[in-house]
């Protein structure tokens, strides 16, 4: 089927980036959140990020103005449910995601495809609680969405071929690259990435190295563009912990046990860049390691 209108649920870090790339690709976007102020903040950030693209010559003034005009804000899920494609991009909490899809159910068009931007939760389980498991998929964008090329496409056990082919076509129209993943905990990227981050936290926890030395070692010794602890702060330590819990619970293997130090940081509210403190303190002019 042809996708022309897209509803994005959640105007946070991922939702605003998803709305950004869809609007630039010519889709009519409805950006939804329970908090109207968060939608306004997302639109301001989208404008800022598009201005940055404009300054680099990646887009034109006409592109930017047209894209901004394609984004409509909404706090009413009924408006979102009437789109061709719904992308749920709320917090990484399965209970909340189920509540969102249950709220959409009475308003959905017969043709609407449902997707989740979840980075780890079972697509089959999310789909099974809806009225359209065959038209439900995982649609996992990487952060920051306007910059990162990859989109993971995850089929649930009931996902039909037309739904997959439609979403593969959407990825192509966005100018991104799809990687197909099976529906197992954390899929491909986070199945590999998050245990590495967790191991870096264990390396800190056990005193093998400091925050600075661990990140320096991986940047210069493994040629990573960002150290694992710096990356954890960028992702959000609460998100990292949630994914490790999904891996540990879903695969029942002790190698996925979340590091107690990561748990402690989350308990303290030191969630990384978005909270001003994580493995680095971001409240000053220059980030400073907290350990």
């Amino acid at each position: 089927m042809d996708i022309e209108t897209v509803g994005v649920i959640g105007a946070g870090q991922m939702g605003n980036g998803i709305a950004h790339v869809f609007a630039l690709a010519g889709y009519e976007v409805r950006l939804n959140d329970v908090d109207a102020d968060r939608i306004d903040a997302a639109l301001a950030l989208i404008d800022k990020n598009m201005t940055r693209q404009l300054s680099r010559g990646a887009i034109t003034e006409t592109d930017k103005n047209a894209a901004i005009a394609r984004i409509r804000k909404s706090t009413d899920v009924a408006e979102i449910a009437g789109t061709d494609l719904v992308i749920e991009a709320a917090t990484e909490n399965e209970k909340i995601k189920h509540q969102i899809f249950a709220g959409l159910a009475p308003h959905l068009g017969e043709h609407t495809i449902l997707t989740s931007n979840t980075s780890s939760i079972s697509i089959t389980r999310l789909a099974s609680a809806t009225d359209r498991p065959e038209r439900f998929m995982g649609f996992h964008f990487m952060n920051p969405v306007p910059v990162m090329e990859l989109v993971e496409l995850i089929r649930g056990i009931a996902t039909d071929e037309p739904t997959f082919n439609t979403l593969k076509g959407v990825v192509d129209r966005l100018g991104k690259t799809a990687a197909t993943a099976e529906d197992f905990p954390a899929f491909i990227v986070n199945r590999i990435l998050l245990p590495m981050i967790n191991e870096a936290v264990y390396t800190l926890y056990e005193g093998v190295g400091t925050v600075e030395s661990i990140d320096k070692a991986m940047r210069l010794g493994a040629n990573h563009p960002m150290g694992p602890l710096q990356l954890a702060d960028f992702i959000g330590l609460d998100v990292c912990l949630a994914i490790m819990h999904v891996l540990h619970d879903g695969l029942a293997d002790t190698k996925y046990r979340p590091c107690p130090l990561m748990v402690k940081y989350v308990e303290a509210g030191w969630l990384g860049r978005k909270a001003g403190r994580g493995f680095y303190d971001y409240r000053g002019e220059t980030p400073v390691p907290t350990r």
Side-chain angles (χ1 to χ4, degrees), residues 205-226:
Y205 174 62
E206 294 168 3
V208 178
T210 64
V211 168
E212 189 174 27
S213 62
I214 291 166
D215 277 352
K216 184 187 297 182
M218 293 307 290
R219 282 197 312 272
L220 302 182
N223 205 27
H224 288 192
M226 188 183 293

Side-chain angles (χ1 to χ4, degrees), residues 27-45:
Y27 293 95
E28 296 296 325
V29 178
R30 295 170 191 168
L31 181 58
N32 173 273
D33 201 286
V34 293
D35 185 344
D37 290 341
R38 193 177 297 145
I39 301 175
D40 290 336
L43 290 173
L45 184 57

Side-chain angles (χ1 to χ4, degrees), residues 48-272:
K48 178 182 175 183
N49 288 337
M50 285 189 185
T51 299
R52 186 180 295 120
Q53 288 178 298
L54 178 62
S55 69
R56 296 199 310 265
I59 62 173
T60 67
E61 185 79 39
T62 302
D63 293 333
K64 178 192 168 185
N65 292 339
I68 294 292
R70 290 188 194 105
I71 304 174
R72 287 171 45 192
K73 57 184 183 179
S74 171
T75 55
D76 182 0
V77 293
E79 293 180 353
I80 300 300
T83 58
D84 300 326
L85 169 65
V86 173
I87 305 170
E88 172 275 312
T91 187
E92 193 70 352
N93 180 300
E94 187 167 347
K95 182 179 178 182
I96 291 173
K97 293 182 187 299
H98 279 301
Q99 289 171 347
I100 288 169
F101 290 122
L104 286 169
H107 311 289
L108 287 169
E110 186 178 342
H111 69 291
T112 301
I113 294 174
L114 293 180
T115 67
S116 176
N117 184 59
T118 179
S119 53
S120 62
I121 297 169
S122 168
I123 299 304
T124 297
R125 198 161 60 237
L126 290 174
S128 68
T130 74
D131 67 343
R132 59 197 65 213
E134 71 286 350
R135 292 197 301 282
F136 193 110
M137 271 190 66
F139 206 27
H140 181 214
F141 289 80
M142 306 295 121
N143 185 35
V145 181
V147 175
M148 301 295 281
E149 294 181 23
L150 184 73
V151 181
E152 282 185 315
L153 294 180
I154 307 103
R155 292 188 237 214
I157 196 168
T159 304
D160 64 23
E161 199 66 21
T163 297
F164 174 82
N165 290 335
T166 296
L167 291 185
K168 175 65 170 61
V170 169
V171 174
D172 292 341
R173 181 171 161 183
L174 293 175
K176 295 190 180 292
T177 301
T180 305
E182 294 298 320
D183 184 23
F184 291 102
F187 319 130
I188 296 173
V189 173
N190 284 323
R191 171 73 176 267
I192 297 167
L193 177 64
L194 264 296
M196 183 199 75
I197 288 174
N198 193 53
E199 193 62 29
V201 182
Y202 266 115
T203 305
L204 178 65
Y205 174 62
E206 294 168 3
V208 178
T210 64
V211 168
E212 189 174 27
S213 62
I214 291 166
D215 277 352
K216 184 187 297 182
M218 293 307 290
R219 282 197 312 272
L220 302 182
N223 205 27
H224 288 192
M226 188 183 293
L229 301 176
Q230 183 186 6
L231 179 57
D233 277 357
F234 179 74
I235 294 169
L237 302 191
D238 53 337
V239 176
C240 293
L241 181 60
I243 295 170
M244 288 309 302
H245 279 308
V246 167
L247 281 166
H248 192 227
D249 295 345
L251 297 171
D253 192 323
T254 56
K255 72 180 180 180
Y256 299 116
R257 183 172 68 97
C259 179
L261 183 60
M262 187 187 294
V263 175
K264 192 65 64 182
Y265 269 70
V266 172
E267 288 175 344
W270 291 20
L271 307 181

